[in-house]
Amino acid sequence: MRSNTVGWLMLAPTIAILGIFGIIPFIYVLYVAFHQWNPFGASPDMIYNGANNFRRLVFDAEFLTSIAFTMKFAFFAVLSEIALGYLLAQLFMKEFPGRGFFRTIHTLPLIVAPIVVGSVWRLMTTPSIGIIPYLLRNWFGYDLNIGRDATTAFTLTVIMDIWHWTPLVTLTLLAALLALPKEPFEQAQIDGANRRQIFWHVTLPMIRPAILATVFIRLMDALRTVDEVWMLTSGGPGAATRYVGLHIWKIVFPKTDYGYGAAISVIVLYLTLVMCWLLYVALVARRERKRTF
Amino acid sequence: MIRKSGIGIAALAIGVLTSVIPARADFWSDAGAKYKGVVLHGVTESTPPSNYIKDVLAPEFEKKTGIKVQIETTSWDQMYDKAIKDMEAKTSIYDMVYIEQDIIYAYLGRSFLTDISKSLKDDPSLKAPEFDETHFTTFANYFKNADGDLFGIPMEAFIKVYLYRTDLFNDPKIQEAFKKETGKDLAPAKTHEEYTQIAEFFTKYGKDNGMELWGTTAQAHTGHPASWYEFFESIAPTFGVYNWGIDANNNYAASVENGGQMNSDKAKAAIKYWLHLRDIAPPESAASTWTEVGTTFAAGRVAQGLVYGENAAWIASDAEKSKVVGNVGVALPPTEPDVLKEVEGGKGYLGYYDGGAFGLPVTSKNKEAALLFLQFIGQDSVQPDWAIAAPRITNTATYDDPKVLDMDKKLNGYYTMLKDQGKLFAGAPPFPFHAQVREATAPIFYKILLGEVGPDEGLDQMAAAAEAELKNLGYRK
């Protein structure tokens, strides 16, 4: 009984912070989502409109497009980051001259603010002054112009995200790899397993929780990306990089359609939870069930 | 002896008196004494005039009054975002907010702003002797209510002008080549036809001579509102389409069908003209916002273009940033032949008169101290240096200052144009729904820029979208 009280007391600040900054605002957003509210409209009052905002977004082509683009962005970005992050983690496990230096350099993008990352990439990709268009033109005769080509703009946002966040994956997986016991690997080698078999049957199952945690973190981040993309493309050309975070921002701030923006936010939160749950079921729960049987 | 002691007593008396009676200070230190230690917070867009407030005027004010001023300069979007959130949620973070000329109507509609004229009348002890509302240019009218009360201290005002490269236009070799190609003398364009011809000539000239030179700028970002504004504020009016083609007196009609102009033949001609210019402009134009057109011009990459006046000074005079110093000519934007007459006759406008003011949110907890600062930046004496650092004029006393006259020469008459022909330009229409209508129509506009929708069809869709949004907002019945 005593330990329970101490435990609750220890948890109390966290619960209070979560309540004030997480749960109460969420309840408010949910409340707003069921209202028509545009403070800059002819009537600035909040008017209850049932589930109209949710009905509206089912037929909103701009919203559906932004969701589709966001999924595509998250898929390519997260998958690439996990693969590249794992390879880099393996590389940093090995001894080579200047390993410490390269590890440090590699983590530098992590400390740069997203808005700065977006600005730097914008400078690097601007046709008149950017180093990337310059090199592409000189080496391959290719004219890069993200203001005119949707595919290029989309690809660049993915590359920018990979550049910025792969170090996080590397660091997480490096920590997981370093913490692995040596015995299972030695045992597998004695049993004659090759490198591929060791990877699939020993390494991967053991670092699965770390991979999963990283995927969840990166997926949630990718689904709500705003500032970097805003700086690089402003959501353009057209709507090619108007990811859902940017879409919500445009609905809520310039358009001041608070009710509808709140409804979209709730749905995006729901979709994120569903996606994480599906991933969890696919990668963890099913495997746990197999083990039980 | 008695006389000597009399003088001594008198000197002593004077000494005692001067030590007891406080020294007579100027208005600022007297008025500021009450608020010493107060920290005022302001938010504004990072523009040359705002940076001058942050770097020069705020420290000067602090020195004189003891009131500290912290000015946050940020991006255009963030500036709105932060100010609106603060005033909406009544968090009272900001004591001064930048009010762009177009957002004022929305802010007044929400009663976000303090009536500056009334506040100063109500408490004359706060009124600075040097501050006089009547000294502001007519641009201040945008920040007044129906009673003529001021709700913002004008701090930047400039027109979007036609800049051209005098070194290129005056080059005899180029003049000869132009004459040979077009049969005309090379001179700043007065009509769209002339402008197009010059733009085409220079783009070709640059290509033929292996130069990084194009015929025109184009603020044509395919995902940023800057391109939308370039079309509706700077291009459409020169074709006779005013107020974005929305008729506020006719139930906010936007479509031709309902009496609006957004998809009129004039608007359709305007967009085709502009799209053609965009296609012969430098490649960065598809990602250019208001800042980049200035940068493109300053980099010597174009022969002519429409550029916001706030950038004109550094383009023409700052050799560290600009490659075209001393080679910048200023002219009125080209128009359709009958539009200039129409505008001179008092109907419409031929370009954008942009600018903003510093307003005092009703939510501020330091209104009195903020009122002092707002008067400080509005008084005559601070205007000339400010106008030199950033080419903005909001106070009529600025025009005749010798430093400003000297700068006017360097800018080939930009200030004179502002003074004499500023009346031909206009700010954004008095709509409280700027951002909402822009955001409702901009996605279609970007599709036009990308060629996903034709210009005629696109403008039809935009007019319909504008009316739908206005209906949704409760303006259109």
Side-chain angles (χ1 to χ4, degrees):
Chain A
M1 185 66 193
R2 192 178 165 274
S3 63
N4 265 354
T5 315
V6 173
W8 280 113
L9 278 173
M10 301 284 274
L11 277 174
T14 311
I15 293 170
I17 290 169
L18 193 70
I20 294 166
F21 297 107
I23 296 167
I24 296 173
F26 175 70
I27 292 169
Y28 182 66
V29 168
L30 206 57
Y31 174 76
V32 173
F34 287 95
H35 291 78
Q36 184 192 320
W37 185 29
N38 193 324
F40 291 90
S43 163
D45 301 328
M46 218 190 253
I47 302 159
Y48 176 73
N49 69 350
N52 271 358
N53 288 330
F54 293 96
R55 259 183 233 124
R56 187 178 151 193
L57 62 84
V58 175
F59 303 102
D60 182 349
E62 275 181 22
F63 166 69
L64 297 174
T65 310
S66 76
I67 283 284
F69 282 138
T70 309
M71 298 287 188
K72 204 167 117 184
F73 169 77
F75 176 78
F76 284 113
V78 176
L79 200 67
S80 311
E81 283 158 21
I82 296 293
L84 200 59
Y86 176 77
L87 289 175
L88 286 166
Q90 281 290 4
L91 181 73
F92 289 136
M93 289 278 287
K94 294 185 168 66
E95 282 293 339
F96 60 90
R99 186 176 72 157
F101 174 74
F102 283 114
R103 269 194 197 179
T104 312
I105 290 285
H106 165 263
T107 53
L108 284 181
L110 276 184
I111 57 171
V112 184
I115 202 89
V116 178
V117 170
S119 310
V120 170
W121 275 79
R122 183 168 171 181
L123 278 176
M124 291 199 302
T125 53
T126 300
S128 57
I129 52 169
I131 182 78
I132 297 175
Y134 174 80
L135 294 177
L136 286 175
R137 196 184 317 116
N138 284 0
W139 290 350
F140 307 107
Y142 176 72
D143 279 323
L144 178 92
N145 194 332
I146 59 168
R148 289 189 175 165
D149 184 357
T151 312
T152 316
F154 172 79
T155 310
L156 270 173
T157 59
V158 173
I159 293 173
M160 177 174 67
D161 199 77
I162 293 170
W163 178 84
H164 195 187
W165 294 112
T166 299
L168 177 78
V169 180
T170 311
L171 289 182
T172 316
L173 297 187
L174 186 61
L177 287 170
L178 287 169
L180 293 180
K182 282 182 184 167
E183 292 78 15
F185 293 94
E186 288 166 357
Q187 188 66 51
Q189 275 177 329
I190 292 166
D191 290 346
N194 60 26
R195 286 173 70 179
R196 196 169 55 87
Q197 286 168 323
I198 291 176
F199 170 74
W200 283 110
H201 300 291
V202 182
T203 316
L204 200 59
M206 290 172 82
I207 61 165
R208 186 186 298 272
I211 293 179
L212 204 64
T214 318
V215 168
F216 283 163
I217 293 168
R218 285 305 309 130
L219 184 66
M220 285 187 281
D221 277 346
L223 290 175
R224 62 183 185 188
T225 188
V226 175
D227 26 21
E228 285 169 321
V229 178
W230 171 250
M231 284 311 297
L232 181 64
T233 63
S234 301
T241 57
R242 187 169 164 150
Y243 302 134
V244 75
L246 206 56
H247 184 67
I248 294 172
W249 183 84
K250 289 197 174 196
I251 295 286
V252 174
F253 294 109
K255 224 174 164 191
T256 58
D257 197 345
Y258 291 6
Y260 188 49
I264 298 180
S265 303
V266 170
I267 287 298
V268 170
L269 176 68
Y270 176 74
L271 287 176
T272 309
L273 290 174
V274 167
M275 282 175 67
C276 288
W277 177 75
L278 285 174
L279 264 175
Y280 177 78
V281 169
L283 297 175
V284 181
R286 213 169 54 180
R287 196 175 172 82
E288 295 290 325
R289 221 178 296 135
K290 265 186 194 169
R291 265 193 208 153
T292 319
F293 288 113
Chain B
M1 182 70 183
I2 293 170
R3 214 173 142 190
K4 268 189 186 170
S5 45
I7 293 168
I9 289 164
L12 186 69
I14 290 166
V16 169
L17 275 174
T18 49
S19 63
V20 173
I21 300 169
R24 171 101 187 121
D26 71 345
F27 166 80
W28 297 109
S29 56
D30 283 350
K34 245 200 290 184
Y35 311 103
K36 203 166 185 170
V38 166
V39 182
L40 296 175
H41 296 272
V43 64
T44 182
E45 189 184 357
S46 181
T47 59
S50 290
N51 288 329
Y52 187 84
I53 295 183
K54 184 187 175 189
D55 300 335
V56 180
L57 297 179
E60 262 180 33
F61 179 74
E62 187 184 342
K63 213 168 150 189
K64 291 193 170 189
T65 60
I67 301 169
K68 201 171 171 61
V69 182
Q70 288 183 346
I71 301 288
E72 192 181 329
T73 51
T74 182
S75 71
W76 177 75
D77 319 86
Q78 282 292 308
M79 173 263 296
Y80 278 135
D81 186 10
K82 289 183 171 200
I84 290 175
K85 270 184 196 160
D86 181 48
M87 296 187 291
E88 182 75 42
K90 300 183 174 67
T91 37
S92 305
I93 294 168
Y94 297 115
D95 304 296
M96 280 107 48
V97 293
Y98 176 82
I99 319 165
E100 192 153 359
Q101 176 272 322
D102 52 2
I103 199 80
I104 179 87
Y105 310 105
Y107 286 3
L108 289 177
R110 295 295 321 278
S111 304
F112 278 165
L113 302 171
T114 303
D115 185 335
I116 293 169
S117 309
K118 186 174 176 297
S119 302
L120 293 177
K121 264 180 221 154
D122 291 348
D123 187 353
S125 71
L126 289 171
K127 173 80 175 60
E130 266 193 72
F131 176 77
D132 190 340
E133 280 183 29
T134 62
H135 288 194
F136 288 125
T137 62
T138 52
F139 187 71
N141 293 339
Y142 286 114
F143 303 100
K144 288 178 180 173
N145 67 359
D147 299 330
D149 281 1
L150 201 60
F151 282 77
I153 300 296
M155 45 77 76
E156 69 175 26
F158 50 85
I159 50 181
K160 194 168 183 184
V161 281
Y162 168 22
L163 295 187
Y164 62 93
R165 289 269 301 278
T166 50
D167 55 332
L168 298 176
F169 276 65
N170 295 335
D171 184 332
K173 211 176 101 194
I174 293 175
Q175 285 176 338
E176 196 188 316
F178 185 78
K179 179 97 178 174
K180 200 175 160 192
E181 187 131 341
T182 64
K184 291 178 182 168
D185 291 328
L186 180 59
K190 286 192 164 40
T191 65
H192 294 125
E193 195 191 340
E194 288 169 3
Y195 189 88
T196 307
Q197 218 161 33
I198 295 169
E200 285 170 346
F201 168 79
F202 275 111
T203 299
K204 188 172 175 292
Y205 184 84
K207 204 175 172 186
D208 292 347
N209 292 283
M211 296 163 75
E212 289 282 307
L213 180 72
W214 284 265
T216 178
T217 59
Q219 184 180 301
H221 198 297
T222 48
H224 190 281
S227 52
W228 190 98
Y229 280 118
E230 166 126 315
F231 178 68
F232 281 108
E233 287 175 344
S234 307
I235 305 298
T238 63
F239 279 80
V241 177
Y242 312 116
N243 299 329
W244 310 348
I246 296 174
D247 188 350
N249 298 317
N250 181 20
N251 194 20
Y252 294 101
S255 66
V256 172
E257 192 188 0
N258 295 318
Q261 287 278 305
M262 195 179 268
N263 59 340
S264 62
D265 289 343
K266 285 177 182 177
K268 287 174 178 173
I271 201 158
K272 284 168 197 160
Y273 158 80
W274 185 59
L275 287 174
H276 173 63
L277 293 180
R278 187 273 315 260
D279 291 341
I280 56 168
E284 67 266 29
S285 301
S288 286
T289 68
W290 17 69
T291 313
E292 286 86 357
V293 285
T295 317
T296 293
F297 195 96
R301 293 170 61 79
V302 288
Q304 54 178 1
L306 294 181
V307 176
Y308 286 94
E310 66 178 337
N311 296 312
W314 68 264
I315 290 174
S317 62
D318 189 343
E320 278 184 22
K321 291 184 192 168
S322 171
K323 288 183 181 171
V324 294
V325 171
N327 295 320
V328 182
V330 184
L332 290 176
T335 61
E336 282 299 277
D338 50 344
V339 169
L340 187 59
K341 278 183 207 156
E342 200 173 88
V343 172
E344 282 171 342
K347 190 197 164 196
Y349 50 93
L350 53 79
Y352 188 47
Y353 205 144
D354 190 19
F358 249 25
L360 172 53
V362 289
T363 48
S364 162
K365 284 179 180 159
N366 302 301
K367 284 203 187 73
E368 292 79 12
L371 272 170
L372 289 176
F373 182 69
L374 293 180
Q375 291 178 89
F376 185 79
I377 65 169
Q379 60 183 336
D380 298 355
S381 57
V382 305
Q383 303 298 326
D385 287 334
W386 196 0
I388 303 300
R392 32 69 67 206
I393 289 190
T394 56
N395 184 317
T396 49
T398 325
Y399 288 118
D400 298 327
D401 186 272
K403 282 186 263 182
V404 175
L405 290 172
D406 187 45
M407 189 67 175
D408 192 40
K409 279 182 202 153
K410 283 185 194 159
L411 287 172
N412 278 312
Y414 172 74
Y415 292 121
T416 308
M417 180 185 279
L418 198 62
K419 185 181 176 186
D420 298 339
Q421 290 169 307
K423 60 183 182 234
L424 303 177
F425 294 76
F431 300 153
F433 43 73
H434 280 225
Q436 290 80 5
V437 168
R438 187 196 70 219
E439 284 305 312
T441 53
I444 307 165
F445 186 72
Y446 302 144
K447 283 184 183 173
I448 298 175
L449 297 189
L450 289 169
E452 290 171 10
V453 179
D456 293 357
E457 190 194 341
L459 284 179
D460 290 342
Q461 289 179 15
M462 284 172 71
E467 287 183 353
E469 182 65 17
L470 287 166
K471 198 169 180 184
N472 187 37
L473 289 167
Y475 291 100
R476 187 172 163 76
K477 307 293 175 203

